[in-house]
Amino acid sequence: MALSAAKKRYQRDLQVKRLGSGVGADSQTVYAGSMLVHNGSGKIAVGTDAAGAFIAGVAAKDQSTGSSNTDAVGYEYGHCEWFKISGTDIAAADIGKNAILKDDAELTDASTATNDVVIGVVCELETLDGVSGAWVCVGVFAPSNA
């Protein structure tokens, strides 16, 4: 389910964390912890399974953009973050394969996503606080999911 407020994420491998920024898409509300994509126009948008989108990173803070936005939206990538898995879409066989974005908060696999927007490579599965999830190296990709 898409975020409606800031989400504190579990992170590790912070020594390789990189910072990036880009012009935000018009009229976006970005919550800290949201997965962000470059949309088909090359602007930073809240993560969705949309044609032409590719991963930018994870929002480090809450940000809003106006109707004709020229503000920069910041994000982080290169490190590992834990994300909730949609249902049972990702299993042990998916470790080392690319994780697919379902929305700005959850992961899925390529068989259930329409546009296969890759967030990064699955490093490990772990249940935290009773919720199934996966550690993903954000912005680091496997050559294929074959």
Side-chain angles (χ1 to χ4, degrees):
M1 177 167 16
L3 294 180
S4 58
K7 168 103 175 132
K8 176 70 174 135
R9 293 242 183 247
Y10 299 103
Q11 299 181 341
R12 63 185 190 194
D13 300 330
L14 300 180
Q15 70 275 12
V16 293
K17 184 189 288 189
R18 303 288 183 257
L19 302 176
S21 67
V23 174
D26 296 344
S27 303
Q28 295 278 301
T29 300
V30 175
Y31 296 108
S34 293
M35 287 184 264
L36 300 175
V37 297
H38 296 276
N39 65 18
S41 301
K43 293 188 175 185
I44 305 298
V46 174
T48 59
D49 183 21
F54 63 96
I55 195 66
V58 179
K61 64 179 185 174
D62 291 348
Q63 302 164 76
S64 294
T65 63
S67 59
S68 9
N69 184 44
T70 58
D71 296 332
V73 174
Y75 53 87
E76 302 170 335
Y77 65 97
H79 61 291
C80 290
E81 289 211 26
W82 182 91
F83 297 98
K84 181 180 177 188
I85 297 171
S86 177
T88 57
D89 290 347
I90 295 179
D94 294 310
I95 293 172
K97 294 181 181 176
N98 290 318
I100 307 299
L101 175 145
K102 177 180 179 187
D103 56 33
D104 68 335
E106 290 185 65
L107 304 175
T108 190
D109 65 359
S111 66
T112 57
T114 303
N115 295 291
D116 295 346
V117 179
V118 176
I119 175 109
V121 67
V122 177
C123 301
E124 179 183 354
L125 302 181
E126 186 173 5
T127 300
L128 297 174
D129 299 326
V131 178
S132 296
W135 286 96
V136 174
C137 290
V138 178
V140 177
F141 309 109
S144 75
N145 271 6

